[in-house]
Amino acid sequence: MARRIKYFGGKDMTLPIKDSKLLKRVMDFLMKKREQAKTPIKKYQAHRNYMLFLIGFNTAFRAEDLLQLRVKDVIKGYFSIKENKTGKMQNFKMNKQLHSEILEYIDLYNLQPNDYLFMGQKKKDTYQGVTRDVIYPITRQNCQEIIFPKVIEGCGINFPFGLHSLRKTFGYMYIKAGGNILTLMKMYNHDEPSTTLLYVMWDTTDIEKERESIFIGGKR
């Protein structure tokens, strides 16, 4: 069965998180929500939201590909998906710590190979005359209208922040840490390095900060 995708118009330009302290605040906020959840369903939803951001920040997947991840796509320690936009395959080994958290999440909620990692509500679906209860993944609209506003308010984010911000944040932090722009370009499946730099919002301010941080010479 083809992956179920919902597209929404009117996309706003979202920005990456450029401040490492803010990035930590976001993850701490999501973790605290998970720890404070009172009911099993609330605890699952909070844990799911935490994992959505964790995987999003660490993979550079497009929003539609991130939301469609199934257990079988990640359980063996590498990601293996076909991009919805480009039709290209993404196959790469994941960070060991990330894989460990994913396995813990899968085990805690007894997720099965065909289950979506980020499950939404149960719905009735009829296929070839047979109606079944099916749990589809959370939609992009759910994220933009329910999950992200709470994070924005709770963490004091004062710029356009949404699902694509996760993908952009990965790229920005990768470049900031000294990553190769050509490698990032390939990760994003971009055609030009300039496109990648524009996408992650690497601008003159970032360039000047990097210039200021470098000193080559000896001590007097």
Side-chain angles (χ1 to χ4, degrees), residues 178-214:
N180 189 307
I181 183 63
L182 295 178
T183 300
L184 183 60
M185 181 186 77
K186 292 296 185 182
M187 290 181 187
Y188 281 148
N189 275 322
H190 288 165
D191 294 324
E192 298 290 341
S194 58
T195 302
T196 301
L197 290 174
L198 181 63
Y199 186 79
V200 302
M201 309 299 174
W202 191 269
D203 55 26
T204 54
T205 301
D206 301 300
I207 294 169
E208 290 307 311
K209 284 182 179 178
E210 291 298 310
R211 189 198 304 272
E212 185 181 0
S213 68
I214 295 175

Side-chain angles (χ1 to χ4, degrees), residues 215-220:
F215 172 72
I216 301 173
K219 293 182 179 179
R220 290 187 176 180

Side-chain angles (χ1 to χ4, degrees), residues 32-68:
K32 188 175 181 180
K33 286 291 185 182
R34 185 183 70 183
E35 293 169 352
Q36 293 179 340
K38 301 299 183 182
T39 65
I41 184 63
K42 292 292 185 183
K43 187 170 286 291
Y44 167 72
Q45 290 172 345
H47 200 161
R48 175 202 66 194
N49 296 345
Y50 168 81
M51 293 302 297
L52 174 69
F53 277 70
L54 182 70
I55 295 175
F57 280 140
N58 282 281
T59 59
F61 285 148
R62 289 183 176 86
E64 57 269 25
D65 295 320
L66 177 65
L67 294 178
Q68 298 296 315

Side-chain angles (χ1 to χ4, degrees), residues 137-183:
I138 53 174
T139 66
R140 186 170 179 167
Q141 189 174 37
N142 291 149
C143 293
Q144 298 301 126
E145 295 180 356
I146 301 173
I147 299 173
F148 277 79
K150 293 178 180 178
V151 174
I152 289 169
E153 181 180 359
C155 299
I157 297 175
N158 59 2
F159 54 84
F161 183 70
L163 267 173
H164 277 296
S165 295
L166 309 184
R167 173 173 160 89
K168 291 178 179 181
T169 298
F170 169 90
Y172 180 87
M173 292 297 174
Y174 176 84
I175 293 297
K176 186 177 180 180
N180 189 307
I181 183 63
L182 295 178
T183 300

